Amino acid sequence: MSVDVVRRRFTVDEYLKMVETGILNEDDRVELLDGEIVEMTPIGRSHAVSVAALNRALVTGIGSRAVVWCQGPIRLSALSQPEPDLALLRLRPVSYRDADAEPRDVLLLIEVSDSSIRRDRPIFVT
């Protein structure tokens, strides 16, 4: 006997509602990729050191010409809101506190990938 498995894809708005209502919380290491809630790999020492070094280099080199966005969410579509390790976002009149970062805001995106390259690459490369 075979059973068809039906996957339920979530929108970014539904995903954020799960956080708001407590189904997911800020300690859950997950992100929404193409409608699926995906567990993020643990951050190891090597990964953390790499992200810290890149962050320092970007902050020092870019100064106030862009926003250095460290492990913050970017709404790529109605079904995807990944949290890349680093991004440079354009300066804009509306604060990122008040409106999501979107693809048009991204000047540079960096994903440090120790073990998740196969999963990360299709999301960020178009």
Side-chain angles (χ1 to χ4, degrees):
M1 176 163 119
S2 70
V3 177
D4 290 332
V5 175
V6 178
R7 288 186 170 185
R8 164 67 158 83
R9 293 172 66 193
F10 298 98
T11 67
V12 171
D13 292 334
E14 291 169 330
Y15 174 71
L16 295 176
K17 194 70 162 176
M18 288 182 213
V19 174
E20 183 181 310
T21 59
I23 295 169
L24 297 171
N25 65 57
E26 290 183 7
D27 293 333
D28 290 322
R29 298 230 354 108
V30 296
E31 58 189 345
L32 186 68
L33 304 177
D34 196 29
E36 293 188 16
I37 299 171
V38 177
E39 188 171 359
M40 296 165 62
T41 56
I43 296 175
R45 181 180 301 134
S46 177
H47 185 277
V49 168
S50 296
V51 171
L54 287 164
N55 184 49
R56 184 179 62 239
L58 290 172
V59 169
T60 302
I62 297 301
S64 62
R65 295 177 290 168
V67 175
V68 177
W69 194 246
C70 190
Q71 298 174 330
I74 297 175
R75 186 184 289 233
L76 293 183
S77 70
L79 297 175
S80 290
Q81 186 168 312
E83 297 179 17
D85 290 311
L86 289 160
L88 288 182
L89 304 180
R90 70 179 175 90
L91 298 175
R92 64 180 194 187
V94 177
S95 169
Y96 290 104
R97 179 187 334 235
D98 301 324
D100 293 326
E102 300 176 345
R104 67 179 178 201
D105 299 312
V106 179
L107 303 171
L108 173 71
L109 187 138
I110 300 170
E111 181 68 22
V112 175
S113 188
D114 295 344
S115 61
S116 61
I117 189 77
R118 288 188 182 97
R119 186 190 76 206
D120 294 336
R121 190 166 178 74
I123 298 301
F124 296 114
V125 177
T126 58

